[in-house]
Amino acid sequence: EVQLVESGGGLVQPGRSLRLSCTGSGFTFGDFGEYGISWFRQAPGKGLEWLGFIRSKANGGTTENAASVKDRFTISRDDSKSIAYVQMNSLKIEDTAIYYCTRVQVLKFGVPHWDYYYMDVWGKGTTVTVSS
Amino acid sequence: DIVMTQSPISLPVSPGEPASISCRSSQSLLHGNGYNYLDWYLQKPGQSPQLLIYLGSNRASGVPDRFSGSGSGTDFTLKISRVEAEDVGVYYCMQALHTPPFTFGPGTKVDIK
């Protein structure tokens, strides 16, 4: 069974940094490195917010980020360890949330701009609390 | 950014009865390839979200056939033919065409009467 496990959450003061990890296992068809990984968050009692994703190396390994966190959050990956990361800097109280990573499936229609991305496996999440 | 809306916000349903959730986008999600770039996710109480439907109408692996997605352009519907107790939770639609960012609707909470 494919699993993603987030870790690294906790209580952090405003202005500090935190790095979350997303560790993959059980990738029967293909390995961790063949998939994109995306990060989402959910503030207490709120809906879902996309933060960004990183493509597989085969698809360029490039990242896309939400404008709301673009200057503070950086997504990376280490396929040798089956881990993706999100480095979060200058944390704000409003960054308090459950953070989820997901596996990104890509459907290709022959033209790069036609690629369809969807999130077929979600981790259970890790909680980040930003408070003084 | 694309704005997604859903209705109703809350949907109490009796077991065995059908349920329908509407999702609308501020711009068309119909790609030139003929597919609608829209997903449906379910977040059960205390759990992380799970994929139900992708490309507007394709059930994800393991999703019961009582779930179906339909619609095109800016108007979409998720239908549950006969609600079961395990279907309670918050349902979200998400657009995947005008990205970044991927954007979600506010969610529809389904519970049992």
Side-chain angles (χ1 to χ4, degrees), chain A residues 4 27 32-38 53-57 59 77 84 102-106 117-120:
Chain A
L4 296 173
F27 283 64
F32 181 85
E34 295 184 20
Y35 295 91
I37 298 293
S38 193
F53 80 94
I54 185 166
R55 296 178 177 84
S56 66
K57 291 288 194 299
N59 286 309
R77 64 190 301 157
T102 75
R103 187 175 76 170
V104 180
Q105 287 280 10
V106 181
Y117 300 95
Y118 63 98
M119 326 306 160
D120 70 333

Side-chain angles (χ1 to χ4, degrees), chain A residues 5-83:
Chain A
V5 178
E6 302 90 342
S7 59
L11 175 63
V12 61
Q13 293 179 326
R16 304 297 290 268
S17 298
L18 204 60
R19 187 179 77 164
L20 306 183
S21 300
C22 170
T23 304
S25 63
F27 283 64
T28 306
F29 299 101
D31 62 22
F32 181 85
E34 295 184 20
Y35 295 91
I37 298 293
S38 193
W39 286 91
F40 295 80
R41 69 182 177 185
Q42 186 170 36
K46 301 297 184 181
L48 298 165
E49 179 186 11
W50 174 78
L51 299 175
F53 80 94
I54 185 166
R55 296 178 177 84
S56 66
K57 291 288 194 299
N59 286 309
T62 53
T63 59
E64 303 284 351
N65 293 95
S68 59
V69 300
K70 186 176 181 180
D71 296 330
R72 299 187 297 122
F73 290 12
T74 302
I75 297 173
S76 61
R77 64 190 301 157
D78 184 343
D79 293 338
S80 68
K81 297 179 180 177
S82 296
I83 300 179

Side-chain angles (χ1 to χ4, degrees), chain B residues 3-87:
Chain B
V3 177
M4 305 295 291
T5 58
Q6 291 181 231
S7 62
I9 294 300
S10 178
L11 182 59
V13 187
S14 298
E17 293 296 306
S20 180
I21 300 170
S22 174
C23 172
R24 289 186 174 176
S25 59
S26 60
Q27 293 185 35
S28 176
L29 303 182
L30 178 61
H31 195 284
N33 61 15
Y35 291 97
N36 287 281
Y37 282 36
L38 179 107
D39 304 333
W40 288 95
Y41 296 88
L42 164 61
Q43 187 172 29
K44 296 182 178 182
Q47 296 186 20
S48 55
Q50 61 186 84
L51 176 67
L52 291 177
I53 302 286
Y54 63 96
L55 274 178
S57 61
N58 293 269
R59 274 190 304 276
S61 176
V63 174
D65 60 8
R66 63 179 180 274
F67 290 92
S68 64
S70 64
S72 186
T74 60
D75 293 307
F76 300 90
T77 303
L78 178 71
K79 292 183 178 178
I80 311 172
S81 59
R82 294 174 305 279
V83 172
E84 298 188 4
E86 65 181 22
D87 300 336

Side-chain angles (χ1 to χ4, degrees), chain A residues 90-109:
Chain A
S90 303
L91 283 163
K92 305 175 182 180
I93 291 176
E94 52 264 38
D95 293 321
T96 294
I98 299 173
Y99 286 73
Y100 300 102
C101 66
T102 75
R103 187 175 76 170
V104 180
Q105 287 280 10
V106 181
L107 292 179
K108 292 185 170 292
F109 293 96

